[in-house]
Amino acid sequence: MAINWFPGHMVKTKRQIKENLKLVDAVIEIRDARIPYSSANPDVEELCKGKPRLILLNKSDLTDSRVTKDWIRHLSKEDVRAIEVNCLKGEGIKNIKPILMELLKEKHDRLKSKGLVKIITRVMVVGIPNVGKSTFINRMAKNNIAKTGDRPGVTKSKQWIKTSIGIELMDTPGILWPKFEDEEVALSLAFTGAIKDEIMDIEELALKLVDRLQTLHPELLKARYKIEELSEEPLETLNSIARKRGAIVSGGEIDYNRIAVIILDEFRGGKIGKISLEEPKKTSLEESENISLEESENISLEEPK
């Protein structure tokens, strides 16, 4: 399944991140807790080396909590911490400042030893589109300073946002990367809405999602759509779901566009169940960092013509 998307503003954003890192003390990277591996932009991993980093696994209310906790253990190391949050409801947000202070303790101790009393912590917020960056910033600022939307690419330019807890946030637009390591990464991003539906074949995308779900979470799929048995063929399962939901046109034919929209919306809204599409034991962020993006040939993200 070909997925092609690399808007020009994302090239500019990558340059902005590199240029502005010297202005901040730390980086907050927001990922989608359903796909912590696929929603980790390897360009950001490389660009932010040397800066303390806090990874927020957002939308954790939609995930299998056991898997999310495994990811937290997997991602946390000396200069990186990971926590689960729900930016929409504010869950886990109170843990952000203490962890940032822990990561920056050595730097703050040096500043205090030089007589500096009031220390403002400046943090850059990064992440791919549609992971909840604007929702997080609005929660921290307690108002709607950052634009929000249910479509990727809503945030357009850098902003500085002050908060009531002594932290200033630098917002940046969400960026994807020019090439993916493999098709599974691209599909995970498309399933969760990080790639615009407008450029996708959503009927094929929904079929791929059904295939993934009946492999990873067959019981949830059966329970949601009241199907006794799943077919070995994802298309037959999709047809069964369509019939159960009445996605039928005249003559008894399946309305594939309608059922595709239903399945994607219900997955993204958590109605099928608490689903984690990736587990740390099945993927390796460390391995992905060693793969040259130029050598990745499966899927190329380019500006659509």
Side-chain angles (χ1 to χ4, degrees):
M1 182 177 185
I3 298 177
N4 303 294
W5 188 46
F6 192 57
H9 77 268
M10 293 185 178
V11 178
K12 181 180 178 182
T13 299
K14 181 178 174 181
R15 185 169 62 249
Q16 283 180 343
I17 289 175
K18 187 174 183 178
E19 291 173 352
N20 291 314
L21 270 173
K22 61 181 178 292
L23 304 177
V24 302
D25 304 298
V27 173
I28 288 179
E29 180 189 359
I30 303 182
R31 301 187 190 178
D32 189 318
R34 295 167 294 181
I35 52 168
Y37 173 72
S38 295
S39 59
N41 186 330
D43 283 358
V44 169
E45 191 86 22
E46 179 65 28
L47 286 168
C48 298
K49 274 185 178 179
K51 287 286 182 181
R53 184 157 47 102
L54 174 58
I55 300 172
L56 305 185
L57 297 179
N58 191 29
K59 307 182 184 181
S60 60
D61 56 310
L62 302 176
T63 69
D64 180 331
S65 60
R66 175 191 60 80
V67 176
T68 301
K69 286 177 173 53
D70 285 345
W71 272 109
I72 289 170
R73 287 189 290 270
H74 179 74
L75 294 170
S76 297
K77 48 191 176 183
E78 183 178 359
D79 59 345
V80 180
R81 299 289 187 275
I83 61 172
E84 58 183 294
V85 298
N86 178 348
C87 294
L88 193 60
K89 296 181 180 178
E91 295 169 356
I93 297 296
K94 68 178 186 292
N95 298 320
I96 290 174
K97 184 174 181 179
I99 294 174
L100 282 176
M101 295 305 101
E102 177 189 338
L103 287 169
L104 294 168
K105 184 178 185 304
E106 185 176 332
K107 180 177 182 177
H108 286 179
D109 286 347
R110 287 199 308 270
L111 293 174
K112 289 175 183 177
S113 69
K114 295 177 180 178
L116 190 62
V117 177
K118 186 177 181 181
I119 300 174
I120 299 296
T121 301
R122 294 183 169 88
V123 178
M124 179 183 289
V125 183
V126 301
I128 69 170
N130 212 35
V131 291
K133 286 196 304 95
S134 294
T135 303
F136 162 70
I137 288 171
N138 291 340
R139 173 68 59 174
M140 293 290 285
K142 296 184 179 179
N143 59 44
N144 291 327
I145 289 176
K147 297 177 182 177
T148 60
D150 59 2
R151 295 171 293 103
V154 170
T155 308
K156 298 298 183 184
S157 61
K158 179 188 72 177
Q159 302 178 61
W160 279 104
I161 296 98
K162 293 184 178 181
T163 71
S164 60
I165 58 174
I167 296 174
E168 290 187 1
L169 304 175
M170 177 191 288
D171 190 18
T172 58
I175 57 171
L176 287 171
W177 53 101
K179 297 197 176 189
F180 288 136
E181 177 187 347
D182 58 42
E183 185 177 1
E184 292 302 304
V185 169
L187 287 172
S188 293
L189 292 167
F191 292 154
T192 55
I195 299 174
K196 293 179 179 179
D197 284 342
E198 291 90 335
I199 67 165
M200 305 293 301
D201 179 340
I202 66 165
E203 295 176 15
E204 186 178 356
L205 183 62
L207 179 61
K208 295 281 190 180
L209 178 58
V210 168
D211 188 17
R212 182 86 67 94
L213 293 180
Q214 72 175 23
T215 299
L216 297 177
H217 301 281
E219 296 306 316
L220 290 178
L221 200 60
K222 288 194 289 186
R224 177 62 185 175
Y225 298 108
K226 298 179 173 55
I227 300 173
E228 292 186 6
E229 295 296 333
L230 301 177
S231 171
E232 292 183 3
E233 295 296 327
L235 181 58
E236 289 303 316
T237 300
L238 180 67
N239 290 343
S240 297
I241 293 172
R243 294 187 189 99
K244 287 287 186 179
R245 286 301 180 89
I248 306 294
V249 295
S250 58
E253 297 293 324
I254 303 294
D255 186 340
Y256 286 108
N257 185 268
R258 182 181 171 195
I259 196 59
V261 170
I262 289 172
I263 291 171
L264 290 168
D265 284 351
E266 293 193 352
F267 165 72
R268 291 168 182 171
K271 293 180 180 177
I272 297 176
K274 293 184 179 297
I275 293 172
S276 296
L277 292 179
E278 299 171 347
E279 295 190 27
K281 64 183 179 182
K282 296 180 181 178
T283 56
S284 173
L285 288 171
E286 290 79 6
E287 289 178 3
S288 73
E289 293 168 20
N290 295 326
I291 296 175
S292 168
L293 292 178
E294 287 74 15
E295 294 175 357
S296 302
E297 297 178 353
N298 287 345
I299 295 182
S300 176
L301 293 181
E302 299 174 348
E303 183 87 27
K305 302 202 170 109

